[in-house]
Amino acid sequence: RKEVEQDPGPFNVPEGATVAFNCTYSNSASQSFFWYRQDCRKEPKLLMSVYSSGNEDGRFTAQLNRASQYISLLIRDSKLSDSATYLCVVNYGGYNKLIFGAGTRLAVHP
Amino acid sequence: EAQVTQNPRYLITVTGKKLTVTCSQNMNHEYMSWYRQDPGLGLRQIYYSMNVEVTDKGDVPEGYKVSRKEKRNFPLILESPSPNQTSLYFCASSRDRRYEQYFGPGTRLTVT
């Protein structure tokens, strides 16, 4: 079983749609959680950190469920510019590394 | 401008010819890391460094070396490249492993 798992997609949605991605992680000792965005052949960039209480940044909402060991990303009112791959990232507290999921591809069409 | 730079951006080489990919950051970050990205596998950590002269293996260190003689630089060395090291490589830095990582633009390496 992979340490961090994501549905690879692609998720094909029309502009204005709401779309949600989930990511599961295997290590219950995980402490930090992030969503990164990666455009084709470009470097990943932080979209948002994920806090225990959940957090929102404009059209983006991230949630953490420690009991079920998953995090989620909700995108409302999708824009064409949201088309990208979204990477789920987990840090295990006692280890000095981040574990990346393979990513979920989102394609927003007119 | 705060950034992570990598050179070269593209490299085609032959099996066995030693190469170095440079990485430099201007944010005074202590933590630096190298990743490779392959289709379907996501980003996998090769090596990381907590500070000057402190480096450690990530998940896929075989065939790679690193050094951290200065805080800003973290070169990746392939002593004898092989075709299975053909990949997209990213260098990243952060003030601590728990915080946002800033990535360089990537180096696309092809080993024939």
Side-chain angles (χ1 to χ4, degrees), chain A residues 36 38 43 91 93 96-97, chain B residues 31 37 45 59 97 101 104:
Chain A
Y36 278 72
Q38 185 175 27
E43 71 272 25
N91 170 234
N96 299 315
K97 63 180 184 178
Chain B
Y31 185 88
Q37 187 173 34
Q45 192 176 48
D59 294 315
R97 61 174 169 79
Q101 296 213 359

Side-chain angles (χ1 to χ4, degrees), chain A residues 5-18:
Chain A
E5 293 203 66
Q6 297 182 250
D7 181 341
F11 285 61
N12 293 299
V13 303
E15 276 187 288
T18 296

Side-chain angles (χ1 to χ4, degrees), chain A residues 26-96:
Chain A
S26 60
N27 191 324
S28 59
S30 302
Q31 291 189 349
S32 304
F33 309 88
F34 309 90
W35 283 102
Y36 278 72
R37 171 194 168 126
Q38 185 175 27
D39 294 292
C40 188
R41 297 175 183 269
K42 297 283 187 68
E43 71 272 25
K45 293 184 179 179
L46 181 70
L47 179 66
M48 56 198 307
S49 302
V50 186
Y51 304 121
S52 295
S53 56
N55 48 299
E56 187 173 310
D57 183 2
R59 297 182 293 109
F60 300 85
T61 301
Q63 296 279 354
L64 167 63
N65 185 318
R66 285 191 183 273
S68 300
Q69 294 183 203
Y70 77 84
I71 66 174
S72 64
L73 177 68
L74 181 77
I75 305 175
R76 289 181 299 278
D77 189 23
S78 298
K79 311 290 185 192
L80 293 176
S81 58
D82 292 334
S83 297
T85 297
Y86 291 84
L87 307 175
C88 170
V89 186
V90 174
N91 170 234
Y92 297 160
Y95 300 90
N96 299 315

